[in-house]
């Protein structure tokens, strides 16, 4: 998890486990600690319903030693304007917060703190911790209420998010090993690298999903950082690698892509089951295999 206590990541972690949590300063530090074996697993933010993907997580998962996602957490996000006791809203000139928190409260800040300058820092809880210092140069923090309470700050305003329905998605990441069993409501995350940049290169990738009836829940292009204009695609798809349609999709991607980085198949936090069209269910695939075996004179499969 990200430090200090009181971050949204800390809150998300507490919804799934009471185990001792070790805080780290950044997403990269968390993932490096998992890779080295320093910790067994790490929880990091990967996507926000307002701002989209968390690039620090997407890029660090796509590179370096392999890691896999084993579960996810969805956390509704609410922000407060936290100040040292005795501070009036007219006194607020300097505000500190996390970049994603700033993005999600920008309109409120413009409307209510037109005189304020916002500085982006490492975490919302870190912002609260900074403002709590008597010698801090910042007058207020945009953070979670739990962080304001933790550091003894007053809430001048609550529910200041521009979108009250904002949700942040977090993922639990571990070193490769046995994958969670299919539940019927699963998600698979991967990164697909084009074999070469050409007209229709993305279509080549998307066709592998479409021709097998696999729906995507997220797709984002990210620079590979190897050459200008060289991009890969970070993808979440409905389904589990243990299911024939996803297994076939991954095989197809392996054929048409330069590289495919598999980042895990795991239960969806919202437990939403995919709508699988006729011809793409496990039973349909099994029936097709039995038909082929019969044509070839083989003993039919169960």
């Amino acid at each position: 998890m990200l430090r200090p206590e009181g971050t949204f990541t800390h809150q998300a972690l507490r919804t799934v486990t009471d185990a001792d949590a070790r805080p780290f300063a950044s997403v990269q530090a968390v993932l490096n600690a998992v890779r080295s074996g320093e910790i067994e697993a790490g929880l990091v933010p990967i996507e926000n319903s307002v701002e989209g993907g968390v690039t620090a997580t997407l890029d660090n998962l796509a590179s370096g030693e392999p890691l896999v996602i084993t579960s996810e957490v969805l956390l509704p996000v609410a922000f407060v304007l936290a100040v040292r006791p005795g501070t009036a809203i007219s006194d607020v000139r300097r505000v500190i917060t996390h970049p994603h928190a700033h993005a999600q409260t920008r309109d409120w800040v413009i409307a209510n703190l037109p005189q304020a300058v916002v500085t982006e820092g490492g975490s919302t809880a870190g912002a609260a911790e900074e403002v709590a210092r008597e010698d801090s140069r910042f007058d207020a923090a945009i953070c979670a209420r739990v962080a304001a309470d933790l550091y003894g700050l007053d809430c001048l305003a609550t529910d200041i998010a521009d979108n009250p329905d904002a949700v942040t998605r977090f993922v639990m990441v571990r070193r490769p090993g046995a994958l969670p069993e299919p539940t019927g409501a699963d998600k698979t995350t991967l990164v697909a690298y084009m074999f070469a940049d050409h007209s229709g290169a993305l279509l080549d990738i998307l066709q592998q999903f479409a021709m097998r009836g696999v729906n995507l829940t997220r797709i984002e292009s990210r620079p590979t950082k190897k050459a200008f204009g060289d991009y890969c695609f970070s993808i979440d798809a409905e389904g589990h690698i243990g299911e024939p349609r996803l297994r076939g999709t991954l095989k197809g991607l392996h054929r048409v892509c330069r590289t495919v980085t598999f980042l895990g198949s795991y239960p969806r936090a919202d437990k939403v089951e995919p709508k699988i069209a006729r011809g793409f269910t496990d039973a349909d695939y099994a029936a097709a295999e039995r038909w082929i075996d019969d044509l070839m004179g083989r003993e039919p499969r169960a």
Side-chain angles (χ1 to χ4, degrees):
M1 56 166 270
L2 304 182
R3 71 183 183 201
E5 284 188 302
T7 62
F8 288 109
T9 308
H10 189 200
Q11 293 181 58
L13 182 65
R14 288 306 180 205
T15 68
V16 294
T17 180
D18 291 326
D20 290 338
R22 182 174 173 185
F24 290 84
S26 66
V27 166
Q28 183 174 0
V30 174
L31 299 182
N32 286 344
V34 177
R35 288 186 171 108
S36 69
E38 184 180 345
I39 57 176
E40 180 180 341
L43 188 76
V44 291
I46 193 170
E47 182 184 9
N48 179 269
S49 61
V50 175
E51 285 297 292
V54 178
T55 56
T57 299
L58 296 176
D59 292 349
N60 275 284
L61 284 176
S63 60
E65 295 180 29
L67 292 172
V68 293
I69 299 168
T70 57
S71 62
E72 66 175 7
V73 178
L74 299 178
L75 183 74
V77 176
F79 298 101
V80 302
L81 183 71
V83 299
R84 290 181 294 277
T87 304
I89 197 165
S90 58
D91 299 327
V92 176
R93 293 290 188 276
R94 293 177 178 269
V95 179
I96 183 170
T97 191
H98 184 272
H100 273 239
H102 184 202
Q104 294 178 67
T105 58
R106 186 174 288 114
D107 291 345
W108 186 93
V109 170
I110 292 172
N112 295 274
L113 298 172
Q115 75 281 7
V117 175
V118 179
T119 298
E120 297 179 350
S123 73
T124 52
E129 185 180 40
E130 166 61 31
V131 171
R133 294 173 44 219
E134 289 299 327
D135 62 346
S136 175
R137 64 190 181 92
F138 295 101
D139 307 306
I142 295 174
C143 60
R145 179 183 285 276
V146 65
D149 294 342
L150 182 64
Y151 294 104
L153 299 176
D154 289 344
C155 296
L156 280 184
T158 60
D159 298 323
I160 66 174
D162 300 330
N163 183 342
D165 299 319
V167 174
T168 295
R169 174 177 163 233
F170 300 82
V171 291
M172 188 72 76
V173 179
R174 300 176 185 268
R175 292 180 296 283
L179 297 176
E181 291 295 320
T183 67
D186 301 288
K187 188 178 292 182
T188 293
T189 299
L190 58 92
V191 183
Y193 293 80
M194 295 181 296
F195 190 84
D197 185 13
H198 65 87
S199 177
L202 176 56
L203 180 60
D204 290 344
I205 293 173
L206 295 179
Q207 281 181 330
Q208 301 305 315
F209 295 92
M211 66 191 298
R212 295 175 179 88
V214 177
N215 184 46
L216 303 186
T217 61
R218 181 186 60 84
I219 180 169
E220 298 182 51
S221 61
R222 296 296 305 150
T224 64
K225 299 179 174 57
K226 293 182 179 180
F228 185 76
D230 190 17
Y231 283 80
C232 59
F233 299 93
S234 178
I235 297 170
D236 290 333
E238 291 182 336
H240 191 284
I241 190 175
E243 298 169 342
R245 63 197 185 93
L246 247 298
R247 187 183 296 271
T249 298
L250 289 172
K251 287 179 180 179
L253 290 173
H254 191 269
R255 291 195 302 270
V256 303
C257 294
R258 174 163 47 89
T259 304
V260 179
T261 301
F262 174 73
L263 292 175
S265 290
Y266 49 92
R268 288 181 61 149
D270 57 15
K271 296 181 170 50
V272 173
E273 297 183 5
K275 296 178 180 179
I276 304 175
R278 184 182 62 81
F280 298 109
T281 66
D282 289 1
D284 292 329
Y285 273 93
E289 289 291 346
R290 289 193 298 269
W291 179 65
I292 292 294
D293 288 341
D294 183 58
L295 292 177
M296 297 182 68
R298 295 175 179 172
E299 188 70 24
R301 304 181 190 184

